[in-house]
Amino acid sequence: MKGKEWYQQETVVESYEDKRFSRGGGRLTDRLEKAAVGEALAPVEDKKILEIACGTGRFSVMLAEQGADVVGLDISAPMLGEGRDKAREAGVDDHLEFMRGDAARLPFPDDHFDAVFAIRFFHLADTPGEYLREMARVSKRQVVFETYNRSSGRSLYNWALPMGSRLYSRREVDGMLDAAQLRLVDETHEFVVPFGLYRKLPGGVAKAFRRVEEAIDRTPLGDRLASISYWNATVD
């Protein structure tokens, strides 16, 4: 997986959320991402949910607060430590378990969860089909994941990044879904402006960009220009 060593460094974890989600456009993207996850998985009360690459538990804690029983899995011990602290502070640690593990070999039996999801993960995946098949194997109902789109402004942004990101065509996503025996039931395409740029903008500027995006999204070009896609699938 790209960036595996970088992602597990203590210094990275200490500033991870502060740099990405604590101010301006970062707060906006955090809110929009949480809304996308919540809408895709709703209703979550009493569901058993697995989050792949949970990081510091942004989504896992939110879902536990809404009544789900959640397992958050990640390769980074420091990230998981931050997640546990966050769960205790929110008072949901009895509904949320954090585990260190490999997403390509999930330590769960078949059909173990009601839903499995992964956000901000597949752009780093070296073997995405393998990861998606494992997610489908341990889910008895639903799989939700996100990809960065090749035919979008993300291509230029990706070129400038030192680590880079894996970008996907629609054909590649469809092939992965078929191979994992998943049936697509819904899709959402967002962020004409890559959210890596959003977090560098003051809040008012980010909101103005967002209004322009929403206007574009209402046109036929909206989905084509979107840099991120959320895929909501069921297990066949």
Side-chain angles (χ1 to χ4, degrees):
M1 191 178 80
K2 290 182 180 179
K4 184 176 180 179
E5 290 76 18
W6 171 87
Y7 184 68
Q8 298 183 74
Q9 294 176 19
E10 291 277 359
T11 54
V12 170
V13 173
E14 289 169 1
S15 61
Y16 182 80
E17 291 204 9
D18 182 59
K19 285 184 176 180
R20 287 162 176 78
F21 312 116
S22 65
R23 53 188 179 272
R27 285 197 297 269
L28 175 64
T29 57
D30 181 55
R31 177 173 59 81
L32 292 173
E33 285 185 303
K34 286 178 176 175
V37 170
E39 290 170 10
L41 296 172
V44 302
E45 188 172 4
D46 297 326
K47 278 186 178 178
K48 192 173 183 178
I49 299 175
L50 170 66
E51 180 181 5
I52 301 295
C54 65
T56 59
R58 282 195 303 137
F59 303 113
S60 289
V61 170
M62 175 190 76
L63 295 171
E65 289 176 325
Q66 295 173 3
D69 289 312
V70 186
V71 174
L73 184 136
D74 203 281
I75 60 170
S76 172
M79 288 278 186
L80 293 171
E82 290 287 319
R84 292 186 184 102
D85 290 342
K86 191 181 296 184
R88 282 193 292 270
E89 290 172 6
V92 296
D93 48 320
D94 56 337
H95 287 279
L96 176 51
E97 178 184 4
F98 288 102
M99 297 179 59
R100 191 177 187 189
D102 183 354
R105 292 183 293 275
L106 296 175
F108 308 106
D110 295 357
D111 307 325
H112 191 65
F113 295 93
D114 295 308
V116 180
F117 76 100
I119 302 297
R120 296 205 184 201
F121 171 67
F122 274 82
H123 70 291
L124 300 174
D126 46 4
T127 55
E130 183 179 357
Y131 292 122
L132 191 60
R133 286 192 295 273
E134 270 293 273
M135 291 170 66
R137 179 184 66 80
V138 301
S139 177
K140 58 186 173 183
R141 296 180 188 171
Q142 184 181 25
V143 172
V144 174
F145 66 105
E146 167 205 66
T147 59
Y148 291 178
N149 297 326
R150 185 170 297 156
S151 60
S152 72
R154 181 78 203 190
S155 296
L156 294 176
Y157 181 72
N158 188 62
W159 174 81
L161 290 175
M163 187 169 62
S165 298
R166 189 183 187 111
L167 306 181
Y168 294 79
S169 67
R170 177 58 185 262
R171 182 176 180 179
E172 186 174 5
V173 172
D174 287 341
M176 288 166 48
L177 288 165
D178 288 343
Q181 296 185 314
L182 290 169
R183 180 172 56 85
L184 187 65
V185 295
D186 192 28
E187 58 190 86
T188 304
H189 309 283
E190 286 278 8
F191 295 105
V192 174
V193 178
F195 55 47
L197 295 178
Y198 261 112
R199 71 170 181 258
K200 300 182 183 300
L201 300 174
V205 177
K207 288 178 181 177
F209 268 95
R210 182 60 184 169
R211 286 194 291 271
V212 173
E213 283 197 317
E214 288 173 337
I216 294 172
D217 194 44
R218 291 191 289 270
T219 74
L221 284 176
D223 289 353
R224 184 180 295 275
L225 294 176
S227 62
I228 293 174
S229 293
Y230 299 93
W231 310 100
N232 187 353
T234 57
V235 180
D236 283 343

